[in-house]
Amino acid sequence: MSEPQGINPNIPHSARVYDYWLGGKDNFEADRQVAEATMAAVPGVRESARNNRAFLGRAVRHLTQLGIRQFLDLGTGIPSQGNVHEVAQAEAPDSRIVYVDNDPIVMAHARALLAGTTEGKTAYIEADVRDPGAVLGHPEVRETLDFTRPIALVMVAILMHIPDQDDPAGIVKAFADALPAGSYLVLSHLTLDLVPKQTADDYLAATRSQAMHRTPRTGEQIARYFDGFELIEPGLVGVSQWRETPLFPDTATWMYGGVGRKR
C-alpha cells in the first residue's frame, strides 16, 4: 500500500494488524511483524479475527431481515470486505449507515466507505466514541438516521480498546438511551474466558505493545453492556457460535458476541 500523508508506516497500529489478519492490504511491514509474532505466540488469533468479522456480517444480515434499515457503526476500523453498508444494502438497498471513527489511519481509507446504494445512504464522521454527545449531535448523524425509528448500534471489537477508567458501560448506556425501543445492540468483545489459562497468559505476553493494547473482559462484565436490552438467541456466546456453523471451528475463541433488542 502507498503511505498516506501524516501516517508513520514504521509504527505498528492495531487497526492495520487487524486488517492483515483479515487478509487486507492496508498494512505495512511493521504491522505484519506484530501480526505474525502474535500468531506465532498464540493459536487461532487470526482465525478468531475472521470469525469476528463473519459474526458482524451475520448479525447485520439478520437485523435487515428483521426489518432494521438504520445502522450506527462505532469504531468501524479500516474498510475491509463485508462492511456494514455492503451487507445491509445487499439485503435492503434503502438501508442507511453512519460510520464513526477518530483514527487518522482509518480516515485515510474512509472514502471507500462512501459508495453505497442510491436508494440508501452511507456517511462517515470523524468523532470519538468516548464522547457520545458529540457523535449523537453530529449534523450528519442526524441527517442520515431517524431517531424515532429503530436503529442498530454496532459496537464490534471496539469496547476492548476502551479502558475501565473511561467508563465503557457508561458509553454504551449513553448511546443506548438515545435509541428508541425496538432498536438493537450488536456487540463483540475480547475475552480470555474461552481459552486455556496458559494460552491466555501467552496472549497477554504477546500483546503488551502499545500497538496491540486491549482490555479483555469476562462474560459477566460484557453481559452488563446489554442492560436494557433483551439478548436474542443464542445469547452471549463465542462469535464463532452465533447463529451459524463457525468458519474456523477448531481454533481458540477469543471473542464473545451477542445481539440485544432494546425493551
Side-chain angles (χ1 to χ4, degrees):
M1 66 177 281
S2 61
E3 179 182 339
Q5 186 175 3
I7 294 175
N8 187 343
N10 299 314
I11 299 176
H13 189 281
S14 59
R16 295 195 307 253
V17 171
Y18 190 67
D19 174 76
Y20 178 78
W21 285 338
L22 293 180
K25 298 180 180 179
D26 294 319
N27 49 76
F28 299 109
E29 180 60 28
D31 309 304
R32 294 188 283 273
Q33 289 178 1
V34 169
E36 290 287 348
T38 305
M39 289 161 54
V42 294
V45 65
R46 176 175 60 183
E47 290 78 8
S48 188
R50 294 181 180 185
N51 276 335
N52 182 64
R53 188 70 176 184
F55 159 74
L56 169 64
R58 293 198 303 276
V60 170
R61 189 174 299 110
H62 181 68
L63 292 183
T64 59
Q65 292 168 354
L66 292 179
I68 298 299
R69 297 292 181 267
Q70 303 188 105
F71 297 83
L72 178 58
D73 186 359
L74 303 178
T76 184
I78 291 174
S80 184
Q81 290 184 343
N83 297 299
V84 170
H85 78 282
E86 294 171 331
V87 176
Q89 292 178 348
E91 295 286 331
D94 60 335
S95 296
R96 302 172 75 85
I97 297 91
V98 175
Y99 294 101
V100 181
D101 209 294
N102 71 332
D103 193 319
I105 290 173
V106 173
M107 285 296 295
H109 304 283
R111 298 191 195 285
L113 292 171
L114 299 177
T117 61
T118 55
E119 300 96 327
K121 183 172 181 180
T122 304
Y124 184 96
I125 69 166
E126 184 176 8
D128 194 329
V129 301
R130 293 171 297 182
D131 187 354
V135 174
L136 294 167
H138 194 284
E140 195 144 12
V141 172
R142 291 291 166 176
E143 179 184 334
T144 304
L145 303 178
D146 178 357
F147 280 78
T148 68
R149 297 171 52 235
I151 295 170
L153 178 66
V154 179
M155 304 187 78
V156 168
I158 180 62
L159 292 175
M160 63 195 197
H161 296 288
I162 299 177
D164 291 338
Q165 59 263 34
D166 287 341
D167 189 17
I171 292 170
V172 177
K173 185 177 186 304
F175 280 107
D177 286 349
L179 305 179
S183 294
Y184 286 85
L185 171 62
V186 179
L187 187 148
S188 68
H189 197 296
L190 175 68
T191 187
L192 301 181
D193 289 2
L194 306 176
V195 296
K197 184 179 184 304
Q198 185 58 56
T199 303
D201 291 343
D202 291 343
Y203 176 85
L204 292 172
T207 57
R208 284 191 181 127
S209 68
Q210 183 178 2
M212 294 300 299
H213 175 72
R214 292 173 176 145
T215 301
R217 295 185 172 98
T218 66
E220 182 179 356
Q221 291 172 314
I222 297 165
R224 293 185 191 132
Y225 298 138
F226 286 95
D227 286 352
F229 292 83
E230 181 179 356
L231 280 164
I232 66 175
E233 291 294 332
L236 185 66
V237 295
V239 291
S240 62
Q241 304 299 326
W242 197 85
R243 302 184 72 88
E244 193 170 295
T245 302
L247 292 176
F248 303 98
D250 298 323
T251 57
T253 298
W254 299 93
M255 306 285 289
Y256 274 122
V259 177
R261 186 178 189 273
K262 186 175 179 179
R263 303 184 185 98

